[in-house]
């Protein structure tokens, strides 16, 4: 399946990078508070491109060391998920539907190391 649009082209056969989606789990800490952990990893294939919209992150005054843009098959996730790629955990900044048909997601992620 190939999709053409404002990004050059998405080809499922080019999804060769392994990325791990990490959903959050909230655990009570025993003192009335809640700790958020990420114990589960869901393995998916993706297209990973270094870089991304650095200007958007700079305007929000976020500190980061690395930015990646990840394209995956559609998966219901929200901003609380983390992305693990090559043993580095990335914070999910923004996700957007590539073609408005819920086939592919484009994720902008950043890491602080």
């Amino acid at each position: 399946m190939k999709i053409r649009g404002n990004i050059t082209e998405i080809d499922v056969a080019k999804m060769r990078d392994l990325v791990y989606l990490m959903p959050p789990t909230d655990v009570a800490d025993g003192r009335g508070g809640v700790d958020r952990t990420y114990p589960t990893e869901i393995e998916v294939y993706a297209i990973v491109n270094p870089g991304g919209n650095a200007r958007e992150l700079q305007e929000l005054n976020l500190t980061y060391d690395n930015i990646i843009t990840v394209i995956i098959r559609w998966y219901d996730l929200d901003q609380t998920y983390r992305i693990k790629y090559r043993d580095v955990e990335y914070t999910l900044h923004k996700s957007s539907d590539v073609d408005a048909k819920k086939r592919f997601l484009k994720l902008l992620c950043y890491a602080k190391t």
Side-chain angles (χ1 to χ4, degrees):
M1 172 187 308
K2 293 184 180 180
I3 294 182
R4 298 165 195 237
N6 55 1
I7 55 176
T8 56
E9 185 175 284
I10 298 175
D11 189 354
V12 175
K14 293 181 182 178
M15 291 188 170
R16 296 186 179 124
D17 297 312
L18 278 176
V19 173
Y20 298 93
L21 304 177
M22 301 168 62
T25 301
D26 292 332
V27 179
D29 65 2
R31 291 177 261 144
V34 175
D35 290 332
R36 180 164 283 174
T37 61
Y38 297 88
T40 308
E41 294 180 353
I42 303 164
E43 182 179 275
V44 295
Y45 285 95
I47 298 172
V48 179
N49 296 318
N53 192 355
R55 183 178 185 123
E56 182 178 341
L57 297 176
Q58 290 168 349
E59 288 175 355
L60 294 173
N61 292 326
L62 294 173
T63 56
Y64 60 90
D65 294 325
N66 194 7
I67 304 172
I68 60 172
T69 302
V70 180
I71 298 173
I72 61 172
R73 294 291 299 227
W74 182 264
Y75 190 85
D76 281 328
L77 52 84
D78 56 16
Q79 302 305 104
T80 59
Y81 274 64
R82 292 225 175 133
I83 309 296
K84 188 176 186 182
Y85 176 64
R86 293 188 177 169
D87 294 328
V88 177
E89 286 189 19
Y90 290 86
T91 302
L92 177 59
H93 174 67
K94 183 169 88 172
S95 65
S96 56
D97 189 359
V98 173
D99 60 350
K101 294 182 181 176
K102 294 188 176 183
R103 288 191 277 186
F104 294 98
L105 272 179
K106 184 177 181 182
L107 310 172
L108 177 61
C109 309
Y110 65 93
K112 300 176 205 176
T113 56

